[in-house]
Amino acid sequence: MYEKRLKQGAVILLGVILAGLLLFKLVGSSSLFNKDILSTSQIIKNIGSQTIKTRQTRQEKLTATYKKALNSDQYTSAKPYVKVNPYGTSPLSALVLFKTDTATKVTVEVVGKTAKTSIKSEVGKTYTKSHTISVLGLYANYQNKVRLTLTDKAGHKTYQTITVKTAALPKAIASMSLKVKKADKTKMSIGNSSLTFLVRSTQYPVGVDADGEIRWYSTNYVQHIFKVLSNGHLLYLTKPDNKDLVYNDLLETDFMGRVYREYQFSTETRNNESANDKTETTIIHHDAIELPNHNLLLTVSDGGSKYVEDTMVELSRKTGKVVKVIDLKKLLPAELYETYKATKRADGKLDWFHQNSIDYDTSDDSIVISSRNQDLVMKLDYKTSKIKWLFSSKSASKWPLKYRKLLLKAADSQTTFTGGQHAATIWPTGEADQKQLVLFNNNMAVSNGDKKTSGKYSEGVSYLIDEQDKTIKKTWSYGKTLGKTNFSEVIGCTRKLTNGDYLIDFGFNDQGKTSRIVEVDPKTNKVVYNLTFTNFTTIGYAYRAERFSLYSQNYQFKL
């Protein structure tokens, strides 16, 4: 009887093993058996996020001073109260305060040195007698002419010009070389208040006009994250002090430097590309977006001992707490991370995915993410985390069965796959099942890219995806003919602008000594703007180039 039961037990055990192997073949995941894959609760604990008010508290006295000045009734439009750099971190901004006898709206204009470089906005959206004017886009070390236009309810206008003197640029910024080789201002997507922002891999972010003149910068070091939120505020990643080694503070601020929210994270859960704790490290490593519910979705490392840069967390905008975790190891085949050898780190950790971007698709509540080290772009249902499609050059036969039906197929022979790509964004086309995918193709084959062309050029690319038929077709690209001159082994981005042009950042040229930023008209592939950025500190290149307006329609400064 004992031997019979022993045999039955062996048969059952064998069956369990075979079933497990079959499940692994079909699903391609061993996350349930991998001790290095953390629980959601452990990841939340490792992130250790919270809201703090350190900067807001420091700024309270400043705001109180400005309120007192406004309420003193001694300042008029002819003799206003003017404070340059009102919150201490935005030297090319000013706060102007005054009162009028009648209710008026105010338009402000910082007069540009050349055609189409004036920064202009209607800063007063309602008729009022008390005016708090944010002046943005000043020149450094310059007697700026600022024109105020006051319009009353009857439509009568009065004009006033004030002079605002600014200080010189700090040495680290003044030493930068920003050379504009071409600027067709009649064709550029610049409007009256848009600048090209150079989002640095580290150190000071700057915004330049069509002439290459710096018209905004922050005295806070910023790494990777630099976004304009729906309310017109800025979101950027910085440090408690520029001398600190950990980028640990995520700020919601504005272009004048006033802080509205501040999020802090664990100083223990961090890493960097060099795997060296003696250089700058961070927990949020490449991207952040604002979700429709206004919470923030961040790319992070989970704090485990083995894997990095393969997790996303949703952060409550109000509390700063993590309310959702997406661990990509639990969604993708185990072989991708368990046998990964394409890149190596000095600390022995595996950067198997290296997520470098997120974008949200409002049409179906999904996100599109980019993995540099898998040469992969993928779309996830945000609610369920189920994969909707995969864009990868890895042959279908090498994917577990479960994933093969999700692979996008090239629609023609001209459609090439990406390698080490960055900054993937998704756009509507007017057709329900068809989407436009825009990205920067570094064309660096890390694990699955095109090894025949790898390293020969980089390019900005647009694709048309049929999500029903699971096909993808390249519809536009720029960069191949530039060859190795503009090859960017790492970093870079392609941004679709409001006029249909593309802003491309070839961020890592000449072994990281040069960043080249161009605006291209896709109808002709002619360059309408060409900016070369050199003489920056080591790893201070342009991680991304963005075209943002200093004055968002949804933003009005209020004391």
Side-chain angles (χ1 to χ4, degrees):
M1 180 65 70
Y2 175 78
E3 292 181 353
K4 183 177 181 181
R5 288 180 178 177
L6 189 63
K7 289 180 180 179
Q8 288 176 339
V11 171
I12 292 172
L13 178 61
L14 180 61
V16 169
I17 293 173
L18 291 174
L21 291 173
L22 178 60
L23 179 65
F24 180 78
K25 178 63 178 176
L26 292 171
V27 178
S29 175
S30 64
S31 61
L32 293 176
F33 314 106
N34 190 332
K35 64 180 178 58
D36 294 307
I37 297 180
L38 308 182
S39 67
T40 295
S41 60
Q42 184 62 55
I43 292 172
I44 292 174
K45 182 179 179 180
N46 290 347
I47 300 298
S49 58
Q50 61 178 331
T51 56
I52 60 174
K53 292 191 175 182
T54 306
R55 288 174 170 83
Q56 288 139 293
T57 300
R58 287 203 300 255
Q59 293 182 350
E60 286 175 356
K61 289 184 178 180
L62 294 173
T63 301
T65 298
Y66 305 143
K67 286 181 178 179
K68 184 177 180 180
L70 181 61
N71 293 330
S72 67
D73 294 328
Q74 62 177 312
Y75 299 105
T76 65
S77 60
K79 293 184 177 181
Y81 176 96
V82 179
K83 177 63 177 176
V84 177
N85 193 13
Y87 288 97
T89 61
S90 182
L92 301 185
S93 70
L95 178 63
V96 174
L97 307 171
F98 60 88
K99 286 191 174 182
T100 52
D101 294 332
T102 58
T104 62
K105 286 183 177 181
V106 180
T107 296
V108 63
E109 178 185 4
V110 177
V111 180
K113 293 180 180 179
T114 64
K116 295 187 180 297
T117 56
S118 292
I119 304 295
K120 183 178 180 180
S121 179
E122 183 181 71
V123 293
K125 301 183 187 302
T126 58
Y127 294 97
T128 182
K129 294 181 180 180
S130 297
H131 303 278
T132 59
I133 309 299
S134 57
V135 180
L136 303 171
L138 299 169
Y139 291 94
N141 196 26
Y142 190 67
Q143 298 279 358
N144 291 269
K145 299 299 181 185
V146 179
R147 292 174 181 164
L148 302 176
T149 302
L150 288 72
T151 307
D152 64 20
K153 292 180 180 179
H156 299 133
K157 297 179 184 295
T158 56
Y159 305 91
Q160 189 67 49
T161 299
I162 61 176
T163 300
V164 179
K165 177 68 172 69
T166 52
L169 294 170
K171 183 178 179 180
I173 296 179
S175 63
M176 295 176 182
S177 175
L178 295 161
K179 294 182 179 179
V180 175
K181 295 184 177 181
K182 183 174 184 177
D184 189 338
K185 299 175 187 177
T186 63
K187 295 181 180 179
M188 291 174 61
S189 178
I190 48 177
N192 287 323
S193 62
S194 291
L195 300 178
T196 301
F197 287 87
L198 306 181
V199 183
R200 311 286 295 285
S201 289
T202 186
Q203 296 203 9
Y204 308 104
V206 299
V208 302
D209 64 14
D211 295 336
E213 287 259 21
I214 293 176
R215 305 290 293 276
W216 182 91
Y217 72 94
S218 173
T219 57
N220 286 333
Y221 281 6
V222 171
Q223 186 181 91
H224 290 168
I225 312 299
F226 190 90
K227 297 289 182 74
V228 174
L229 301 171
S230 60
N231 59 8
H233 291 169
L234 281 175
L235 181 75
Y236 66 69
L237 183 67
T238 187
K239 301 187 281 187
D241 186 276
N242 286 347
K243 295 178 181 178
D244 292 338
L245 288 178
V246 184
Y247 275 92
N248 201 45
D249 289 4
L250 188 65
L251 301 186
E252 181 179 335
T253 179
D254 60 22
F255 283 108
M256 286 211 300
R258 186 176 182 179
V259 176
Y260 300 90
R261 288 186 178 92
E262 185 176 1
Y263 308 96
Q264 195 172 71
F265 303 83
S266 167
T267 57
E268 300 302 318
T269 304
R270 66 185 193 272
N271 68 277
N272 56 24
E273 302 309 313
S274 67
N276 184 353
D277 282 343
K278 294 182 179 180
T279 58
E280 293 169 329
T281 59
T282 180
I283 190 171
I284 307 170
H285 54 82
H286 277 84
D287 208 357
I289 62 169
E290 180 182 12
L291 295 168
N293 64 2
H294 302 297
N295 283 351
L296 304 174
L297 184 61
L298 317 173
T299 58
V300 299
S301 293
D302 63 14
S305 61
K306 189 168 184 178
Y307 302 110
V308 296
E309 299 193 5
D310 59 6
T311 305
M312 289 174 279
V313 295
E314 180 182 338
L315 203 71
S316 167
R317 188 83 160 270
K318 294 181 180 179
T319 68
K321 299 298 183 182
V322 173
V323 296
K324 184 183 176 100
V325 174
I326 300 177
D327 184 349
L328 292 161
K329 295 183 291 296
K330 297 178 182 179
L331 305 181
L332 287 165
E335 63 181 39
L336 296 186
Y337 50 87
E338 291 187 343
T339 61
Y340 179 77
K341 296 180 180 178
T343 61
K344 294 185 182 301
R345 290 172 55 93
D347 58 5
K349 292 185 178 182
L350 294 181
D351 186 12
W352 68 278
F353 195 80
H354 196 96
Q355 184 181 350
N356 56 37
S357 72
I358 324 171
D359 195 38
Y360 188 86
D361 189 343
T362 57
S363 69
D364 60 358
D365 187 28
S366 63
I367 56 172
V368 170
I369 65 176
S370 167
S371 164
R372 177 186 186 271
N373 286 353
Q374 292 296 328
D375 307 305
L376 170 70
V377 180
M378 58 190 291
K379 189 175 190 181
L380 301 174
D381 183 291
Y382 188 67
K383 185 177 181 180
T384 65
S385 296
K386 289 184 177 180
I387 301 172
K388 290 202 164 191
W389 50 254
L390 300 160
F391 178 38
S392 168
S393 62
K394 187 176 181 178
S395 63
S397 62
K398 294 183 179 179
W399 287 89
L401 296 176
K402 172 185 174 181
Y403 299 90
R404 295 177 188 178
K405 62 182 180 182
L406 303 173
L407 294 169
L408 298 179
K409 303 176 184 64
D412 55 34
S413 59
Q414 303 302 311
T415 299
T416 54
F417 291 85
T418 60
Q421 73 294 315
H422 283 75
T425 57
I426 197 81
W427 297 82
T429 64
E431 298 292 333
D433 294 325
Q434 295 190 343
K435 303 292 173 62
Q436 182 188 19
L437 176 67
V438 176
L439 53 79
F440 181 76
N441 178 21
N442 297 76
N443 195 31
M444 178 67 189
V446 183
S447 54
N448 298 299
D450 187 345
K451 291 180 174 56
K452 292 181 179 180
T453 63
S454 179
K456 294 183 179 180
Y457 62 88
S458 297
E459 59 183 351
V461 194
S462 173
Y463 297 94
L464 180 65
I465 296 176
D466 189 314
E467 296 187 312
Q468 181 66 33
D469 294 340
K470 294 290 190 299
T471 59
I472 185 167
K473 181 178 182 179
K474 182 190 283 190
T475 56
W476 168 83
S477 65
Y478 177 85
K480 185 175 182 178
T481 58
L482 303 176
K484 289 189 176 181
T485 300
N486 278 42
F487 171 66
S488 186
E489 180 180 358
V490 295
I491 71 172
C493 72
T494 305
R495 294 304 196 209
K496 187 177 181 179
L497 304 178
T498 55
N499 67 350
D501 286 357
Y502 292 96
L503 185 69
I504 310 173
D505 170 31
F506 298 90
F508 197 82
N509 295 162
D510 308 327
Q511 289 79 49
K513 297 177 182 178
T514 306
S515 294
R516 294 183 174 91
I517 296 94
V518 297
E519 179 180 341
V520 179
D521 180 349
K523 297 185 291 292
T524 62
N525 256 14
K526 299 292 185 181
V527 172
V528 299
Y529 182 61
N530 190 329
L531 172 69
T532 300
F533 177 32
T534 57
N535 200 31
F536 42 72
T537 57
T538 303
I539 69 171
Y541 34 68
Y543 163 67
R544 285 179 180 169
E546 307 279 6
R547 186 69 57 76
F548 291 142
S549 171
L550 285 172
Y551 291 100
S552 166
Q553 292 182 346
N554 297 327
Y555 168 73
Q556 181 178 358
F557 181 80
K558 296 179 181 179
L559 285 174

